[in-house]
Amino acid sequence: MESLTSARAPSTLWPSFSLALRPPTPERTWGYRRAEVLAAGAQSAILLAVGIYAFIEGVRRLFDPAEVTAGGLLVFGIETPSHSALERSSHH
């Protein structure tokens, strides 16, 4: 979940980067530079919410474990070693 949130970060922050490039005006002597800070704060709040959700869900599953389906576990078990082997071979 955290990886998905991090992957979305550039698309969430991109509009703030565009705003920050606008020149200052008489009303906004600093321009729109604070847009980046506000967007980063929003992104941090999203990551914090995901972390709290993961923590609560983890504690809940300690006391009421979910059943693991064999099919999903099998796919993950096959995918992980083959992916690791590809990574090792690409570093040489």
Side-chain angles (χ1 to χ4, degrees):
M1 180 77 90
E2 190 273 333
S3 296
L4 179 63
T5 307
S6 294
R8 287 199 43 156
S11 65
T12 306
L13 296 175
W14 189 258
S16 69
F17 296 147
S18 298
L19 275 174
L21 293 175
R22 289 185 180 179
T25 63
E27 299 90 34
R28 291 180 173 80
T29 56
W30 283 83
Y32 290 85
R33 291 185 190 168
R34 289 189 187 109
E36 290 175 320
V37 175
L38 293 173
Q43 187 68 24
S44 298
I46 291 169
L47 286 172
L48 180 64
V50 169
I52 291 170
Y53 170 76
F55 177 77
I56 291 170
E57 190 66 19
V59 170
R60 186 185 68 77
R61 288 185 184 203
L62 280 173
F63 298 105
D64 184 23
E67 186 172 330
V68 178
T69 60
L73 191 57
L74 181 63
V75 169
F76 180 76
I78 291 171
E79 164 58 26
T80 302
S82 63
H83 183 70
S84 295
L86 287 173
E87 281 186 357
R88 281 192 299 268
S89 66
S90 68
H91 290 297
H92 294 278

